[in-house]
Amino acid sequence: MKHKRAIPNRSFRVADQIQRDVAVLVRELKDPRVGMVTVNAVDVTPDYAHAKVFFSLLVGNAEECEVALNEAAGFIRNSLFKRLQIHTVPTLHFQFDRTTERAADLNALIHQANATRAKED
């Protein structure tokens, strides 16, 4: 039997599709702990068994939201089975993405350093 060739960039396309579908499915959750969530990125393992879903939160408590999303991960995964056309749908692991917070902190430090420099000149 001839082995099928690997499709180039398939894992990136699968991760991108999971990101879009999870973003839609999260909006349908009725849990009050889940606020205004943005799905920033998805990392899928090479065997498609697990996926880390990185999200940011506009309003609400990040820790509570992360717990709520991880509790709803089974429901979201089940809904992904119906949407995706792949054999293995990964187990979802939600993780709060602090990148935007870090960027804001660095921006504030840069502005503070520039203001201090301006006073010295």
Side-chain angles (χ1 to χ4, degrees), residues 52-103:
K52 279 187 184 176
V53 180
F54 297 96
F55 70 95
S56 59
L57 191 62
L58 187 60
V59 178
N61 185 335
E63 290 80 20
E64 287 181 5
C65 184
E66 186 173 340
V67 168
L69 287 171
N70 281 311
E71 288 174 1
F75 168 77
I76 295 171
R77 182 175 185 243
N78 189 27
S79 298
L80 280 176
F81 268 115
K82 299 171 187 170
R83 291 173 168 256
L84 295 177
Q85 306 288 315
I86 60 175
H87 180 63
T88 304
V89 174
T91 302
L92 303 174
H93 307 280
F94 288 89
Q95 189 171 359
F96 183 67
D97 188 7
R98 300 191 185 282
T99 305
T100 52
E101 289 177 358
R102 288 186 196 130

Side-chain angles (χ1 to χ4, degrees), residues 20-41:
R20 285 193 297 261
D21 288 342
V22 167
V24 171
L25 292 168
V26 164
R27 283 187 227 128
E28 297 174 2
L29 294 176
K30 305 276 191 273
D31 195 325
R33 297 176 291 176
V34 178
M36 298 179 75
V37 172
T38 302
V39 178
N40 297 338

